[in-house]
Amino acid sequence: MSQLELIHVVRRYGPVGGMERYVWELTRELAQLGHHVTVVCERCHVDKPAGIDVHELGEIAPRPRWLALLRFGRRVERFLLAHPHDGSVIHSHERLRIHHITTFHGPPFATIFERPWWRWLSLRVAMQLFLERRELSQPQFVVPNSQFIKTLIAHYYPNLAQKMTEPIVPGVLAGAVRASRVVPPRGGVVGFVGKEWQRKGLPWVVKLVAALRVQRPELQLCVVGPEPAEVAHLFADWQGGYKLAGWSDQSPYPGFDVLLHPAKAEPYGMVISEAMAARVPVVISDVCGAAVHVTSESGAVLPLSAPLDAWVDAVEQQLIRAEDVPLFERPWRHVAQEYVRVYALIDRKRS
């Protein structure tokens, strides 16, 4: 295919979160495929990558969130007016009004309708719903980042069915893998990775590992993501046996014997595929988008309603396993190529 002119819009550019890493890896792969990539953002959080034009519009006060999204969208519109972009594909990852394609990275805000009606009655809710409907109604294509998200969007916005593509799930970087080893019967290392530690289930992980430590007194819990001061209170009754590692661009997956991810809601869960790419077994909740990739050879998927004993047993089964986890592979190059096929269907005269 001939070179495409691509404009990606994201507020934070760089591998500083799940959605942001998706955009970071995707845009770099698109550039390596020979396409001309422009990124419009509030701020680039890392060194600007070679071969990509990055335009920073300046950071906006993050609260209230709906106002920050609205203001950013207006800045993007002014940028596009000032910079001719005929023939370009505008690919949004935010709540924009002008775009050809949008990738939906999280559950729709419309899930608010599952809550009591008095929770709907606020300016914040009205504006978030307005921005979401606008983002979804304007483009030619809506790309969910998992089947879980596709199902939710289809439920709350059934009129958008003709715009929805098949999910384009995140890729995973090849890296170091866990060495084959037998976990000591009294020990082992359980890993948890995630900044949004409450939504991703860290309190349940702490309770679960504490129960496991009754039979495995030397079991260690390694927590990567949250600031140690944020979560230290969860370990008030512990006498060692845990490590609060803070945030790291490179999570130490090869050092884990199992990854625990009992998230309450997880659009995809890149840490799950990253762990499996490092040959680390996983035990996760069934509301993670990445659950579709977790086979019995890779770990276990449990409902959040499952009792503690069931979770403890599932983790124990991974700690005593004798076989290595199959290597999970999904190069970001494949993600970029899937997007190129969608871009080819876009009428670039519309913007």
Side-chain angles (χ1 to χ4, degrees):
M1 173 178 283
S2 59
Q3 183 189 62
L4 293 169
E5 296 288 329
L6 305 171
I7 300 174
H8 278 256
V9 182
V10 64
R11 292 175 69 196
R12 302 191 303 160
Y13 187 51
V16 291
M19 181 190 84
E20 291 82 3
R21 178 172 287 281
Y22 187 112
V23 180
W24 171 256
E25 301 294 349
L26 171 59
T27 51
R28 293 197 305 160
E29 286 294 340
L30 288 167
Q32 290 178 23
L33 286 172
H35 303 293
H36 182 251
V37 179
T38 298
V39 172
V40 181
C41 59
E42 284 188 10
R43 175 186 161 199
C44 182
H45 290 257
V46 291
D47 292 338
K48 295 177 181 178
I52 297 178
D53 295 330
V54 180
H55 296 267
E56 298 177 276
L57 304 183
E59 291 188 285
I60 295 169
R63 294 287 184 269
R65 180 172 168 75
W66 65 265
L67 183 57
L69 294 171
L70 192 64
R71 291 179 63 199
F72 176 66
R74 288 175 177 168
R75 287 189 185 182
V76 172
E77 289 183 33
R78 288 196 293 268
F79 173 87
L80 293 173
L81 285 172
H83 296 79
H85 54 277
D86 288 347
S88 296
V89 171
I90 302 172
H91 185 162
S92 174
H93 303 269
E94 301 289 354
R95 301 292 193 256
L96 294 193
R97 184 178 69 87
I98 299 177
H99 50 300
H100 298 97
I101 177 174
T102 189
T103 299
F104 219 80
H105 294 271
F109 190 82
T111 55
I112 188 76
F113 292 123
E114 303 303 322
R115 299 185 180 186
W117 64 267
W118 60 85
R119 297 288 298 272
W120 313 345
L121 306 179
S122 72
L123 176 62
R124 179 186 73 89
V125 169
M127 290 304 300
Q128 288 280 16
L129 288 171
F130 162 74
L131 290 168
E132 181 168 278
R133 290 191 192 103
R134 187 181 71 173
E135 177 195 357
L136 291 168
S137 62
Q138 292 299 319
Q140 296 173 40
F141 293 104
V142 174
V143 182
N145 81 334
S146 71
Q147 185 61 47
F148 175 66
I149 295 303
K150 181 177 182 178
T151 301
L152 285 177
I153 296 174
H155 175 71
Y156 291 102
Y157 299 98
N159 58 314
L160 298 177
Q162 75 283 0
K163 295 182 177 220
M164 297 270 282
T165 72
E166 286 303 306
I168 300 183
V169 304
V172 63
L173 295 172
V177 299
R178 178 180 181 269
S180 297
R181 60 176 176 264
V182 175
V183 179
R186 292 172 56 84
V189 178
V190 173
F192 171 89
V193 180
K195 281 186 177 181
E196 298 176 61
W197 56 271
Q198 291 174 308
R199 178 173 65 81
K200 295 178 188 290
L202 180 58
W204 184 246
V205 169
V206 172
K207 186 175 181 180
L208 199 166
V209 174
L212 266 168
R213 280 171 55 83
V214 173
Q215 61 201 59
R216 288 179 173 268
E218 295 170 17
L219 186 68
Q220 298 286 309
L221 172 58
C222 179
V223 177
V224 179
E227 290 297 322
E230 273 189 90
V231 296
H233 66 280
L234 298 175
F235 299 89
D237 297 332
W238 286 49
Q239 301 296 321
Y242 67 95
K243 176 183 179 182
L244 305 180
W247 178 247
S248 171
D249 286 340
Q250 288 294 111
S251 296
Y253 296 111
F256 298 163
D257 294 310
V258 62
L259 176 85
L260 253 177
H261 200 77
K264 298 176 183 177
E266 188 68 280
Y268 182 74
M270 289 174 62
V271 299
I272 299 166
S273 55
E274 288 172 351
M276 293 191 298
R279 291 189 182 273
V280 175
V282 300
V283 177
I284 70 171
S285 63
D286 61 357
V287 292
C288 299
V292 295
H293 303 306
V294 180
T295 65
S296 57
E297 290 78 25
S298 304
V301 180
L302 282 77
L304 285 170
S305 58
L308 181 66
D309 287 351
W311 283 86
V312 168
D313 182 64
V315 176
E316 177 64 20
Q317 292 305 309
Q318 301 310 313
L319 291 171
I320 64 174
R321 64 183 293 150
E323 311 83 17
D324 289 337
V325 172
L327 185 66
F328 179 79
E329 295 180 287
R330 178 164 168 76
W332 282 102
R333 176 62 56 93
H334 292 180
V335 178
Q337 290 167 336
E338 289 172 25
Y339 271 106
V340 168
R341 288 194 283 272
V342 180
Y343 296 150
L345 303 174
I346 289 173
D347 177 4
R348 281 170 269 169
K349 295 177 184 177
R350 262 187 48 190
S351 63

